[in-house]
Amino acid sequence: AVKANGFNAVRIPVTWFPHTDEEFQVSEKWMNRVEEVVNYALDAGLYVILNVHHDTGGEWLSADLSNIETISEKYVKLWTQIANRFEKYGDHLLFESYNEILDENKLWVNAKGDDFIAVNNLAQTFVNTIRGLGENNQHRNLIVNTYAANGSHEMLDPFVIPTDQIPDHLMVEVHNYSPASFCKMTEDLDENEPLPVWTEDFQSTLAAELDILVEYYNANH
């Protein structure tokens, strides 16, 4: 249905930590299921973005510089398992480092300097880990995210794009739900009320935020 409606890519958000043992080894049953779902999308002719998703929702994976060594050890171990399982998959499969990573206090705004250092550290660790593995991982397209996957100047300016041995195979991802009054629902929709309508003000709000990304791209490409 996704393919039939004109989309050419799907992002598969995966929760890993409940399916790991004390050594942070992913269960074979869960890894098989993830691969099965990835194959559903690939077989439909879609590009697939596979990530580490809900592990960042206040679980073990956070932008916590004081515990970065312990976090990085688990992070490398997890991505090594994922990348090894999918090492023979071609360029229709992309890896995304993590979802909307927050610090140990789960702050969406007012992140501190150490938080940005931790994000930059993990982003580089992700790239180094994947590139250090075999087969197609050595040139796979990789995706890294800013703090909270936020596209504001406050989050983009301190973000350091990782060094990659392969040119033009790295993307920076941010998330945008703007304008929130159009994109988000905080309560059930009253069927007697009209649906939200896209307005010129909404267009201007979104355009201003996209201009920040264009500026960032031009400065870093």
Side-chain angles (χ1 to χ4, degrees):
V2 171
K3 176 73 171 179
N5 277 280
F7 295 93
N8 71 345
V10 64
R11 183 169 177 255
I12 299 177
V14 182
T15 309
W16 297 93
F17 70 93
H19 307 281
T20 60
D21 62 19
E22 62 277 2
E23 299 298 325
F24 221 65
Q25 295 294 316
V26 179
S27 76
E28 186 69 12
K29 180 179 179 180
W30 186 246
M31 190 68 83
N32 289 342
R33 174 57 176 163
V34 171
E35 186 171 17
E36 181 179 36
V37 175
V38 167
N39 285 333
Y40 288 160
L42 291 174
D43 290 345
L46 296 166
Y47 284 88
V48 175
I49 298 171
L50 180 64
N51 77 353
V52 174
H53 199 88
H54 303 99
D55 298 61
T56 61
E59 301 300 336
W60 65 274
L61 182 53
S62 62
D64 179 6
L65 191 61
S66 64
N67 290 301
I68 196 65
E69 291 185 7
T70 300
I71 293 169
S72 295
E73 182 179 354
K74 289 184 176 181
Y75 189 58
V76 169
K77 187 173 291 187
L78 177 57
W79 266 115
T80 298
Q81 294 173 77
I82 299 168
N84 281 339
R85 170 58 73 98
F86 292 96
E87 64 182 0
K88 295 186 184 300
Y89 282 67
D91 61 6
H92 275 67
L93 177 63
L94 298 81
F95 291 158
E96 177 195 358
S97 53
Y98 39 69
N99 187 44
E100 298 166 346
I101 194 167
L102 305 176
D103 67 4
E104 66 275 18
N105 299 312
K106 305 179 186 177
L107 295 178
W108 288 96
V109 295
N110 300 322
K112 57 187 182 296
D114 282 356
D115 299 337
F116 300 125
I117 295 173
V119 166
N120 294 335
N121 185 304
L122 288 169
Q124 187 65 63
T125 296
F126 167 69
V127 173
N128 292 347
T129 300
I130 305 303
R131 293 292 181 245
L133 300 172
E135 298 286 346
N136 293 331
N137 293 317
Q138 296 178 359
H139 52 80
R140 187 177 306 285
N141 288 315
L142 304 179
I143 302 171
V144 292
N145 309 56
T146 60
Y147 184 92
N150 188 297
S152 66
H153 280 299
E154 290 75 14
M155 301 305 180
L156 282 168
D157 290 348
F159 184 70
V160 177
I161 299 174
T163 300
D164 190 7
Q165 64 193 48
I166 306 296
D168 301 324
H169 281 67
L170 190 62
M171 304 181 200
V172 176
E173 176 187 296
V174 301
H175 297 171
N176 189 294
Y177 304 95
S178 183
S181 55
F182 183 85
C183 296
K184 293 184 176 181
M185 292 178 59
T186 57
E187 56 189 23
D188 290 340
L189 190 67
D190 186 341
E191 62 181 19
N192 296 316
E193 293 292 325
L195 293 170
V197 176
W198 189 256
T199 67
E200 290 186 6
D201 286 343
F202 287 167
Q203 181 74 18
S204 297
T205 298
L206 180 58
E209 296 180 8
L210 293 179
D211 283 344
I212 295 173
L213 301 181
V214 172
E215 177 185 338
Y216 184 81
Y217 174 85
N218 289 334
N220 291 279
H221 186 262

